[in-house]
Amino acid sequence: MELTLHVRGRIGGGMVIAVHGDLDFAAVDRFRACVERALQPPPGILYLDLQLVTFIDSSGVGALVALRQQAERAATRLVLENPSDTLRHTLRTAGVLDSFDVPPA
């Protein structure tokens, strides 16, 4: 499924990027570019709404890790919202879930 990204402000501050579709090798460059643009200027907090992510591969996981590091350098808190159980499992298996701010399900 093709990746679509919707960027919007959030009441109370920060930015939200709603991610829909497959976060894979074919889409990861567009995803990274979108998040990098959202970090300029730093919003203080950036929410990635992952509820509609249908698939993630290793390049998608790698992009999330790299973007978390970029957000830290920009003094921005990166929050992964609404990840599916499958996505949580993939991030846990990759050993990176605990490095993200993920609100309880």
Side-chain angles (χ1 to χ4, degrees):
M1 173 181 269
E2 184 175 335
L3 186 73
T4 58
L5 304 162
H6 300 280
V7 182
R8 62 185 189 277
R10 186 172 182 134
I11 295 174
M15 296 290 296
V16 177
I17 300 176
V19 185
H20 181 226
D22 295 347
L23 188 50
D24 59 8
F25 180 77
V28 75
D29 289 338
R30 247 179 9 120
F31 172 67
R32 286 181 70 143
C34 180
V35 175
E36 288 168 355
R37 280 191 306 274
L39 291 172
Q40 300 300 322
I45 188 164
L46 177 59
Y47 301 90
L48 297 180
D49 185 346
L50 304 174
Q51 182 174 13
L52 298 176
V53 171
T54 52
F55 174 78
I56 188 168
D57 67 6
S58 61
S59 60
V61 172
L64 286 173
V65 171
L67 292 167
R68 180 186 50 80
Q69 294 166 343
Q70 285 182 329
E72 286 177 3
R73 287 192 297 274
T76 295
R77 183 174 153 219
L78 183 66
V79 178
L80 305 185
E81 288 193 316
N82 306 312
S84 67
D85 290 340
T86 302
L87 181 53
R88 284 177 187 266
H89 176 74
T90 300
L91 295 174
R92 187 177 299 109
T93 300
V96 299
L97 181 63
D98 291 338
S99 66
F100 288 99
D101 186 349
V102 183

